Amino acid sequence: MDAKKFVQLFGEVLAPDTARVKAATATLKADYYPQPQSLSILLQLLVSDESTSLRQLAASQARSLVSKHWKTLPDGQKPTIRQHLLEKTLSEEQQLVRHGAARVITAIAKIDLNNGQWLDLFDTLVQAAGSRTPRHREVGTYVLFTTIEAIGEDLTAKVPQLLELFGKTINDPQSAEVKINSMLALSRIAILLDADEDAASISKIESLIPQMVGVLKQAIDAEDEDRTTQSFEVFQTLLGCDSSVLNKHFKDLVQFMTNIAADTDAEEDARTQALSFLMQCVRFKKLRIQGMKVGEQLTLKCLEIITEMGDEDATDEEVTTGRSALALIDVLAESLPPSQVVVPLLHNLGAYVNSPDPDRRKAGLLALGTCVEGAPDFINTQLHEILPLVLRLFNDDDDKVRRAALDTIMRLAEDLAEDLGKEHAKLIPALVKHLDTAIRQASGSDDKKNIDAIKACCNALDTLSEGLDADTMKEYLPELVPRLSRLFTHPDFKIKAAAIGALGAIGASAEAAFTPYFEQTMNSLSDYVQIKDSEEELDLRCTTCDAMGAIASAVGAKAFQRYVRPLMQATEEGLHLDHPKLRETSFLFWGNMAKVYKDEFKPFLEGVVKAIFDSLESEESELEVELGEEGADLAGKEVTIAGKKVKVAAFSEDELAAASDIEDLDGMEDDASDDSDWDDLTAVTAVAQEKEIAVEVVGDILTHATQPYIPYIEKTVEVILPLTEHSYEGVRRAAIGTLYRLYAAVWGLQPEEIQKWEPGLPLKQKPTDEVARLGEIITTSTLSVWGDEEDRATVTDLNRNIAATLNLTGPSLISSPKTLTPISETLVALLTRKHPCQTDFSTLTSPGGSSSPDEDLDPGALESSEYDWLVIDTALDVLVSLAHVLGPTFAEFYKLVEKTLFRFASGSEAYERSTAVGVLAECIRSMDAAVTPHTAPLFKVLMHRLNDEDAGTKSNAVFAVGLLIATSQDDKEIQRHFNTVLAKLEPMLQEDGARLKDNAAGCAARMAVKYQDKVPLGAVVPALVGVLPLKEDFEENEPVWGCVVRLYSAGEPTILGLTPRLLPILEQVLGEPEEQLNEKTREQVVEM
């Protein structure tokens, strides 16, 4: 190799000429880098007196070539290279070059130490780290850090010596860099440690936490952005280490970070990173945070920080202190119970929304809106108070307050569409008024304020429409359709899209009432289905196709027929326009067409299925994180990783040096540059998101066009089954859901007599062999996922799918013993909050299995957040479905969960008590006489709940007691409570709400039927007739009218005397709605 020419060419890469840079890069990669001598020359350049930029570049490229060529260099040259490299690095003035050279040393050491060479390096570095010369200490500590990072597992024997060293260097009196390097090294050591195997080392690191906090504080006070970021990164790392590392100081650390976040004198970057750390605390140490009861403090601090936003738009992506505070409130509301977040927020909201300061009014609204997604059920209970103040501020004098109110309305509508829709008479006129004002005041394309207001109003109408029924929406069509249609020609593409999206949602809500506007709307939109000349046009094309699909569902198959083929062609073309969202739009449109046309969708199936399967079988490229200049752009930004928005905490200087200011010259894989921080993170690529949509659409098509889909079933199972283990939880969730939908669809193709299953095992009616095999395949693949899945939403969806499928198809899906075992294990884990999706770093044991102080936290003793409870609630749905399909044989399973159900039924939260008592009722009903051995403990719990302050719990309790009396054969235990129950029924028959009257009537009827001689019919029967006809719980008409018919048949005098009162009631129950009575009860009543 011509060394002189190589150096000359290498220097060309730094030229300010893109063409020269590209030419030099191509030549180096093709002709020089494959040769070992290139590494030797780069190392010589690194230790030379050449320019800083050239040496920095040489360090970057040498590091990437070490793994390929170091072993092939002559052994005689290596000692000299090592010595010169170490000496030069120790004396290097420029930090970026110094760090780049340190990375090269680490790359060489990684190879040498494994081969028994350069064995004196460790002692040399320790000596340098303890040197009197600050520069030597900086290099020594830094190279030790990078070495631990690269080959830490091989240095475990030296951990005590390293901890002793860094325990001193973290207090370096002269160099802030030494302190930071020490922190970085300590965090890497912490990753390696296990409390079981090395409690002393864990204790040593724990004792150094206050010094680490001191380093962070010094960096913040010095306004040193780089070192501040590195320090925060260390604490983020420690959150994921053995919990013992932070346990002792965790509460103080949370308080320290809270103070930084709230300090208006601190740099914004420090405050946002403190808020980011607190978010991670809530995610990783949720139970610890909840047990510390700091949710209220964090919420109120965030509320005050949000007041600093001024005119900032809350929806922008740039990370600011105010937006980070909103993000923390979002995490808090999702992770902690309402009592720690939403309740204190609402208690303090008045001081903000009634403040004369518009920034405070805006802050109150934004914080309120941010809480909705995390606690929708609780917010719904307060909607009667929340909505009037939001509507009042929607008419505020200040623009930003009005916009915040609009954002809050949208958030409420997204999660509480049906309940918010009840307030349509107040909301829609207000939205129309603001839309008209913004349109009238808009002065051109640069008028951001009014353009944003128009879009926001359209988006709010879009969201709100989902909660309105067809009759209600029909009233507003004359007002809304013309206004939105005029916006289709607006010059701003985003306004066009917002208006089209809103009109599509309005059409879907209005259903057939939209027909008079159908043709005109389709004509107005037709041009936008073909546009493709820019990104904006393609985005608008997506929205238009989505809207047309929604409109098709409104007007029906016949009216939409002439548009189907052109739109199918347009959406097929959309697959090839290199626009990921347009591909998703095409799939979604096809799913809508299948819903509208059902089996008539058959002519399009072959092409549709092929396109979707091509997507599902496409390769996905992994995210390659280059921590160079491109990576630096991410620092302080939020990126989406594994479905979560994550703020990138930091990139260290050496990482910036490793990929210099110019493009990477080495296109070959570089083991040395692997970044372990990213190993466990999987990017949500556009392909993965497309697959999620594609799988869901397969479910739509096979559900609605089942018969013509039969030829594709085998291939569907083959393609979708592997996706249940996809790295992206969205794909896993969609795949599992579609497999269960497939089973349900195929089940429905069987002869009707097979579909009419009976509860209990062994099976009384077996499915066809093909259906049985399909069920076994699906349960085998999904139940293993169910037990191990860490994503809470995926487990929740799986619970729903299993429950719904069992209710439809009966016990055949669980008839195998190897199926029931994992179901019971997973259900017990979910109900006791020990499932992987319910654990955090506060409850996980160390790798050796021992407990740490965090494990003293009992998850069952803490309140649940709404999202936490949703997992349990849907697991209880599975339990009820199991009881339903197993019948009396469920009694053995019930023994596993009885104590847990009793604990929920006696909990502090009304929704837990109400749900658990309702589940107990369903278990009693399903077990029938097999409930007898459990009669006494059930009565003990249920009798308490008959006095519950919550009407829903009390209603469920009286329902359960009635079932227990009717089914149990333990007459002695029943008689112990009989008169007490009768006494409690009397006032309940007068109480409105929560189905209490109806359930009390059902209980009285069951008691009268089974123990007619013990019930004072003269008093009970008139009271029973007095609540007829039942208004809320038609299911209880079966026992009530069964009792009435029985008494009539027996000629009971009281019921005969009430005939005049019963005659008009009979007319009502035999009339509309028909679902008042089931078929059997209707026959009995008619006969009577």
Side-chain angles (χ1 to χ4, degrees):
M1 177 187 291
D2 186 336
K4 185 176 181 181
K5 186 174 181 181
F6 173 81
V7 173
Q8 182 181 2
L9 192 61
F10 192 73
E12 282 286 292
V13 178
L14 297 174
D17 184 326
T18 304
R20 287 168 62 190
V21 170
K22 287 186 175 181
T25 298
T27 304
L28 287 167
K29 290 169 71 173
D31 299 338
Y32 291 92
Y33 280 179
Q35 301 182 52
Q37 194 180 347
S38 63
L39 174 59
S40 180
I41 296 171
L42 287 171
L43 292 173
Q44 291 175 39
L45 278 175
L46 177 55
V47 300
S48 71
D49 294 325
E50 294 288 346
S51 67
T52 298
S53 55
L54 193 66
R55 285 184 288 120
Q56 182 182 338
L57 180 59
S60 166
Q61 301 307 301
R63 177 191 174 197
S64 66
L65 294 175
V66 164
S67 62
K68 301 172 183 64
H69 298 319
W70 177 253
K71 290 181 181 179
T72 61
L73 292 183
D75 288 339
Q77 295 180 10
K78 290 180 180 178
T80 304
I81 292 174
R82 296 184 190 115
Q83 182 182 353
H84 286 173
L85 183 57
L86 200 52
E87 289 175 352
K88 181 63 177 178
T89 305
L90 286 169
S91 61
E92 176 60 53
E93 296 287 335
Q94 297 296 324
Q95 188 184 63
L96 286 177
V97 178
R98 193 163 66 239
H99 284 187
R103 288 286 184 180
V104 176
I105 292 172
T106 298
I108 294 172
K110 185 175 182 180
I111 297 171
D112 282 355
L113 293 175
N114 285 333
N115 294 324
Q117 299 175 335
W118 211 358
L119 298 179
D120 62 342
L121 175 63
F122 181 80
D123 291 337
T124 303
L125 294 175
V126 170
Q127 184 179 354
S131 168
R132 292 183 177 181
T133 306
R135 181 62 42 75
H136 291 179
R137 297 199 299 275
E138 290 167 359
V139 174
T141 52
Y142 190 80
V143 179
L144 282 170
F145 155 60
T146 58
T147 304
I148 296 166
E149 186 178 43
I151 55 170
E153 293 288 350
D154 298 329
L155 297 175
T156 51
K158 299 185 182 295
V159 164
Q161 183 181 355
L162 287 168
L163 291 177
E164 188 68 28
L165 171 67
F166 294 128
K168 297 174 182 176
T169 57
I170 198 169
N171 296 308
D172 193 287
Q174 295 173 289
S175 173
E177 185 178 341
V178 172
K179 295 178 184 180
I180 288 293
N181 294 344
S182 302
M183 279 184 71
L184 291 167
L186 286 166
S187 70
R188 294 300 163 178
I189 293 173
I191 291 173
L192 304 172
L193 296 180
D194 177 349
D196 278 349
E197 298 173 2
D198 196 352
S201 294
I202 290 274
S203 179
K204 177 64 175 176
I205 293 181
E206 180 187 56
S207 71
L208 295 173
I209 297 299
Q211 286 94 312
M212 294 187 192
V213 171
V215 174
L216 170 58
K217 189 174 186 310
Q218 290 166 17
I220 293 172
D221 292 343
E223 298 183 2
D224 188 329
E225 185 175 334
D226 291 340
R227 293 195 173 101
T228 297
T229 300
Q230 288 176 312
S231 299
F232 274 113
E233 184 182 45
V234 166
F235 285 107
Q236 295 271 17
T237 300
L238 294 177
L239 273 178
C241 297
D242 190 293
S243 59
S244 300
V245 171
L246 288 180
N247 272 346
K248 182 179 178 182
H249 302 286
F250 186 70
K251 187 171 186 178
D252 292 336
L253 190 58
V254 168
Q255 187 60 57
F256 174 71
M257 294 293 184
T258 305
N259 293 341
I260 293 173
D263 185 358
T264 55
D265 292 329
E267 290 291 308
E268 180 168 69
D269 189 60
R271 298 178 70 196
T272 58
Q273 290 189 76
L275 288 164
S276 177
F277 177 81
L278 291 170
M279 280 185 250
Q280 297 306 317
C281 286
V282 177
R283 289 191 178 110
F284 291 144
K285 300 269 192 179
K286 178 177 68 177
L287 296 178
R288 190 73 188 277
I289 290 287
Q290 185 174 343
M292 287 161 46
K293 293 185 166 56
V294 295
E296 178 172 351
Q297 179 195 4
L298 292 173
T299 301
L300 299 183
K301 289 287 187 185
C302 287
L303 187 53
E304 193 60 29
I305 291 170
I306 297 165
T307 64
E308 302 170 33
M309 289 183 68
D311 293 331
E312 277 182 34
D313 187 341
T315 60
D316 282 353
E317 293 186 1
E318 183 184 353
V319 177
T320 65
T321 309
R323 293 191 191 106
S324 295
L326 284 170
L328 178 53
I329 284 185
D330 188 21
V331 174
L332 287 166
E334 178 183 331
S335 304
L336 301 183
S339 63
Q340 291 199 18
V341 182
V342 186
V343 171
L345 175 67
L346 292 178
H347 282 166
N348 289 271
L349 194 62
Y352 288 82
V353 296
N354 296 318
S355 169
D357 181 354
D359 289 333
R360 299 184 76 79
R361 298 199 297 277
K362 173 184 175 179
L365 286 167
L366 291 178
L368 173 62
T370 302
C371 282
V372 176
E373 185 180 6
D377 292 342
F378 183 82
I379 291 290
N380 193 27
T381 65
Q382 309 300 311
L383 199 57
H384 62 287
E385 294 183 8
I386 289 172
L387 194 57
L389 74 85
V390 175
L391 287 171
R392 172 170 61 82
L393 293 175
F394 194 27
N395 293 301
D396 197 274
D397 294 335
D398 192 278
D399 290 337
K400 60 175 172 280
V401 177
R402 291 198 300 272
R403 177 59 194 273
L406 185 54
D407 288 343
T408 303
I409 289 170
M410 283 193 288
R411 285 178 176 267
L412 288 166
E414 285 170 1
D415 289 283
L416 302 169
E418 187 175 336
D419 296 282
L420 205 67
K422 296 173 185 176
E423 304 293 336
H424 61 86
K426 299 174 184 175
L427 287 166
I428 291 184
L431 288 168
V432 169
K433 174 186 172 184
H434 283 274
L435 177 63
D436 288 346
T437 300
I439 292 172
R440 187 173 59 254
Q441 293 180 352
S443 58
S445 58
D446 295 332
D447 186 355
K448 185 176 185 302
K449 182 184 76 172
N450 283 304
I451 285 177
D452 285 349
I454 294 170
K455 288 187 294 186
C457 287
C458 291
N459 291 335
L461 288 168
D462 186 337
T463 308
L464 189 62
S465 298
E466 295 180 19
L468 272 62
D469 59 37
D471 289 338
T472 302
M473 182 55 80
K474 182 180 178 180
E475 300 174 27
Y476 296 105
L477 292 177
E479 270 194 282
L480 296 177
V481 174
R483 280 179 171 82
L484 293 171
S485 298
R486 285 194 291 272
L487 293 175
F488 293 175
T489 57
H490 195 282
D492 187 285
F493 275 87
K494 290 184 178 178
I495 284 182
K496 286 179 183 174
I500 291 170
L503 196 57
I506 288 167
S509 175
E511 298 178 0
F514 190 76
T515 303
Y517 305 94
F518 169 60
E519 292 292 347
Q520 180 186 346
T521 300
M522 293 299 289
N523 290 336
S524 300
L525 297 179
S526 58
D527 290 344
Y528 299 140
V529 177
Q530 305 292 337
I531 55 176
K532 54 186 174 184
D533 293 336
S534 68
E535 196 73 16
E536 284 182 321
E537 288 192 353
L538 290 172
D539 286 341
L540 183 58
R541 179 169 173 163
C542 290
T543 305
T544 304
C545 289
D546 288 340
M548 287 183 166
I551 290 170
S553 67
V555 300
K558 185 176 180 181
F560 202 77
Q561 184 65 50
R562 72 185 183 93
Y563 297 100
V564 176
R565 191 164 294 278
L567 286 171
M568 289 298 294
Q569 292 170 349
T571 50
E572 195 279 332
E573 181 195 36
L575 299 179
H576 312 291
L577 295 177
D578 195 26
H579 190 277
K581 191 172 186 303
L582 193 53
R583 291 176 60 84
E584 295 173 15
T585 294
S586 296
F587 296 155
L588 290 168
F589 181 81
W590 298 344
N592 274 327
M593 291 301 98
K595 291 175 188 176
V596 172
Y597 288 95
K598 298 182 169 51
D599 288 355
E600 293 178 23
F601 192 63
K602 181 179 179 179
F604 303 104
L605 264 184
E606 183 177 357
V608 163
V609 171
K610 181 183 183 304
I612 291 177
F613 283 178
D614 285 346
S615 169
L616 294 178
E617 294 179 311
S618 61
E619 293 294 326
E620 297 177 54
S621 59
E622 295 296 328
L623 178 69
E624 295 179 358
V625 181
E626 294 290 347
L627 300 179
E629 186 173 350
E630 298 85 357
D633 291 339
L634 293 175
K637 303 283 182 67
E638 285 185 345
V639 295
T640 301
I641 296 175
K644 307 290 184 185
K645 281 193 173 180
V646 179
K647 181 174 178 183
V648 180
F651 297 112
S652 55
E653 291 171 319
D654 55 278
E655 289 165 337
L656 295 174
S660 62
D661 294 338
I662 55 94
E663 68 177 274
D664 186 9
L665 299 181
D666 181 22
M668 298 176 281
E669 188 170 344
D670 172 18
D671 295 335
S673 63
D674 288 347
D675 199 289
S676 59
D677 284 348
W678 296 81
D679 284 349
D680 296 328
L681 299 178
T682 303
V684 184
T685 63
V687 176
Q689 291 176 325
E690 180 184 309
K691 286 185 178 182
E692 179 184 9
I693 299 297
V695 177
E696 289 175 351
V697 170
V698 170
D700 290 337
I701 294 172
L702 65 85
T703 298
H704 297 282
T706 306
Q707 196 68 44
Y709 195 85
I710 292 174
Y712 308 102
I713 286 176
E714 186 175 344
K715 177 68 172 177
T716 300
V717 175
E718 177 189 327
V719 171
I720 293 180
L721 213 56
L723 298 178
T724 60
E725 297 183 352
H726 195 278
S727 59
Y728 171 40
E729 65 274 9
V731 174
R732 295 198 300 275
R733 196 158 56 237
I736 291 166
T738 295
L739 286 173
Y740 277 100
R741 292 177 76 179
L742 175 61
Y743 183 77
V746 172
W747 177 272
L749 296 174
Q750 297 178 114
E752 191 171 335
E753 61 271 16
I754 295 180
Q755 294 184 49
K756 292 181 178 178
W757 55 269
E758 295 180 43
L761 293 176
L763 294 176
K764 299 177 180 64
Q765 182 69 58
K766 294 184 178 180
T768 63
D769 291 343
E770 292 82 0
V771 173
R773 280 197 298 273
L774 179 61
E776 185 176 354
I777 290 170
I778 291 173
T779 53
T780 300
S781 65
T782 58
L783 291 184
S784 62
V785 174
W786 193 31
D788 299 329
E789 177 61 57
E790 295 181 1
D791 179 64
R792 190 169 46 181
T794 301
V795 174
T796 300
D797 267 17
L798 224 169
N799 293 346
R800 291 186 179 121
N801 281 309
I802 292 173
T805 307
L806 286 173
N807 289 334
L808 176 68
T809 65
S812 62
L813 201 61
I814 57 169
S815 57
S816 168
K818 65 181 182 182
T819 301
L820 267 179
T821 300
I823 286 178
S824 63
E825 290 173 350
T826 302
L827 270 182
V828 169
L830 284 166
L831 296 179
T832 55
R833 292 184 170 98
K834 294 178 180 177
H835 189 277
C837 78
Q838 296 164 302
T839 58
D840 60 21
F841 281 90
S842 299
T843 56
L844 291 173
T845 58
S846 62
S850 72
S851 295
S852 66
D854 272 23
E855 290 167 46
D856 293 335
L857 292 168
D858 176 12
L862 298 173
E863 291 180 68
S864 300
S865 71
E866 289 191 16
Y867 272 78
D868 290 334
W869 178 250
L870 193 58
V871 179
I872 296 172
D873 193 33
T874 52
L876 290 170
D877 290 341
V878 178
L879 187 69
V880 168
S881 298
L882 275 176
H884 180 45
V885 303
L886 291 176
T889 57
F890 176 75
E892 286 301 309
F893 198 103
Y894 173 77
K895 295 175 184 177
L896 300 174
V897 298
E898 183 182 62
K899 288 184 179 178
T900 303
L901 292 177
F902 286 177
R903 191 183 74 210
F904 287 137
S906 305
S908 60
E909 293 297 319
Y911 60 83
E912 291 188 11
R913 298 196 303 276
S914 175
T915 303
V917 173
V919 170
L920 286 170
E922 295 299 333
C923 292
I924 293 166
R925 173 156 50 185
S926 297
M927 288 188 285
D928 199 56
V931 77
T932 301
H934 307 283
T935 304
L938 280 166
F939 260 122
K940 183 178 180 181
V941 171
L942 295 175
M943 294 303 288
H944 279 298
R945 299 282 69 84
L946 287 178
N947 297 315
D948 202 284
E949 61 186 20
D950 175 63
T953 303
K954 185 158 59 174
S955 178
N956 286 345
V958 74
F959 174 57
V961 166
L963 288 170
L964 185 58
I965 291 172
T967 56
S968 174
Q969 296 176 357
D970 189 347
D971 285 343
K972 182 179 179 181
E973 188 65 27
I974 291 172
Q975 293 310 316
R976 280 187 61 223
H977 302 283
F978 199 84
N979 290 331
T980 305
V981 173
L982 273 177
K984 290 181 181 294
L985 285 179
E986 184 179 1
M988 290 184 191
L989 289 168
Q990 311 300 320
E991 291 186 42
D992 292 321
R995 310 181 318 281
L996 190 53
K997 274 186 182 179
D998 296 9
N999 282 333
C1003 181
R1006 290 183 174 98
M1007 295 174 74
V1009 167
K1010 187 172 180 181
Y1011 297 101
Q1012 185 172 334
D1013 58 326
K1014 298 184 185 303
V1015 173
L1017 297 177
V1020 171
V1021 171
L1024 190 60
V1025 172
V1027 302
L1028 297 178
L1030 303 185
K1031 298 289 197 304
E1032 296 183 281
D1033 194 342
F1034 293 153
E1035 192 176 293
E1036 290 303 274
N1037 273 322
E1038 181 176 353
V1040 168
W1041 286 103
C1043 175
V1044 171
V1045 170
R1046 185 185 181 97
L1047 293 175
Y1048 254 105
S1049 300
E1052 198 281 320
T1054 307
I1055 195 71
L1056 293 176
L1058 293 170
T1059 300
R1061 288 176 60 186
L1062 278 169
L1063 288 174
I1065 296 172
L1066 282 168
E1067 288 184 19
Q1068 293 180 57
V1069 297
L1070 291 173
E1072 296 292 334
E1074 285 192 15
E1075 59 267 23
Q1076 289 182 87
L1077 302 176
N1078 61 33
E1079 187 176 341
K1080 178 183 174 182
T1081 305
R1082 183 175 292 275
E1083 289 175 0
Q1084 290 177 332
V1085 172
V1086 169
E1087 185 179 347
M1088 181 183 73

